[in-house]
Amino acid sequence: MEQIINIYYADNAKRLRKIVDKILLNYGGLYDMDKDDFYSLANEVFTSVIRSYDNTRPFEVFLYTCLCNKIKSEISKRNSYKRVADRLSVSIDALVDINGNIKVGDIIADNYNIEDMVIGLSGGEYDNKILLYLNRLSETQRSILELSAEGYKPHEIQKKLHISGKEYSDGKQAIHSYRNISILF
């Protein structure tokens, strides 16, 4: 057994790491810090394999099989955590009222208000960045922006501009899109 341990742990466990790397190629998308987790897992498996090895088949085959099974189980466990988080998440575009006028994103508390920044705080005089931003918006989007800054509610804006809930939502999305607001930073 000591000879097997020396073979697998020589040169910073190079042979054991090589086996783990070969197994992980089947899964892809892992960061180096994830690999370190799997190397640690391989050490645990190796210890267990050394204790339970019975010489009925080659050690390398037995170790490889045990590592495959343990790594597959660990990846499945990690992915199940991700799926649980995905099931619990709510889209910022999810509707929260019966009429379909208000989305989760409309009611999230936030100190940053693009409407105030562009319309309210500028006092009617726009610097070059704000002018570039406003030029990226359509006439309807600019009207939505101005009415929002004045304190109108979504349904009031829709009525005043004679637009549907979808048109309002699309307009708000354009007003807040990173592509448009990135010019302000």
Side-chain angles (χ1 to χ4, degrees):
M1 288 297 158
E2 189 174 321
Q3 182 182 5
I4 292 174
I5 293 170
N6 290 336
I7 290 170
Y8 284 91
Y9 281 93
D11 196 19
N12 195 22
K14 184 177 180 178
R15 189 163 178 180
L16 185 61
R17 289 173 181 257
K18 187 176 178 180
I19 294 170
V20 171
D21 289 340
K22 182 179 177 184
I23 295 168
L24 291 176
L25 280 176
N26 295 326
Y27 298 99
L30 295 172
Y31 297 105
D32 287 337
M33 67 181 194
D34 290 329
K35 284 186 177 183
D36 288 340
D37 290 345
F38 286 105
Y39 295 149
S40 296
L41 186 66
N43 288 327
E44 294 172 23
V45 171
F46 186 84
T47 304
S48 175
V49 166
I50 284 288
R51 289 185 191 136
S52 61
Y53 181 59
D54 60 5
N55 290 324
T56 57
R57 55 185 163 165
F59 181 80
E60 179 103 6
V61 172
F62 184 57
L63 175 63
Y64 185 84
T65 303
C66 292
L67 283 171
C68 282
N69 290 336
K70 190 66 172 181
I71 288 172
K72 181 180 178 183
S73 296
E74 179 65 21
I75 288 176
S76 295
K77 183 174 82 174
R78 289 177 180 208
N79 287 338
S80 72
Y81 291 146
K82 291 177 190 174
R83 286 190 298 274
V84 167
D86 287 344
R87 283 195 307 267
L88 297 176
S89 62
V90 176
S91 171
I92 198 161
D93 294 322
L95 299 173
V96 293
D97 73 331
I98 300 170
N99 300 326
N101 294 328
I102 302 174
K103 295 182 179 183
V104 171
D106 294 334
I107 59 173
I108 293 176
D110 186 3
N111 290 338
Y112 183 76
N113 188 327
I114 191 75
E115 291 85 352
D116 287 344
M117 182 184 160
V118 173
I119 304 297
L121 299 180
S122 65
E125 294 181 22
Y126 303 125
D127 67 12
N128 288 339
K129 286 183 179 182
I130 292 176
L131 287 173
L132 285 171
Y133 167 76
L134 290 172
N135 286 334
R136 289 182 174 198
L137 302 178
S138 71
E139 189 177 321
T140 302
Q141 292 163 353
R142 271 190 249 161
S143 297
I144 292 170
L145 178 70
E146 290 168 1
L147 292 171
S148 293
E150 291 173 17
Y152 285 90
K153 303 277 186 231
H155 69 277
E156 295 171 329
I157 295 171
Q158 292 170 32
K159 192 173 186 179
K160 197 168 186 75
L161 297 177
H162 307 290
I163 59 174
S164 68
K166 171 119 175 69
E167 289 171 311
Y168 171 80
S169 178
D170 291 345
K172 284 293 271 189
Q173 188 173 355
I175 290 166
H176 293 271
S177 75
Y178 180 76
R179 186 182 68 79
N180 287 333
I181 66 170
S182 63
I183 200 161
L184 297 171
F185 304 116

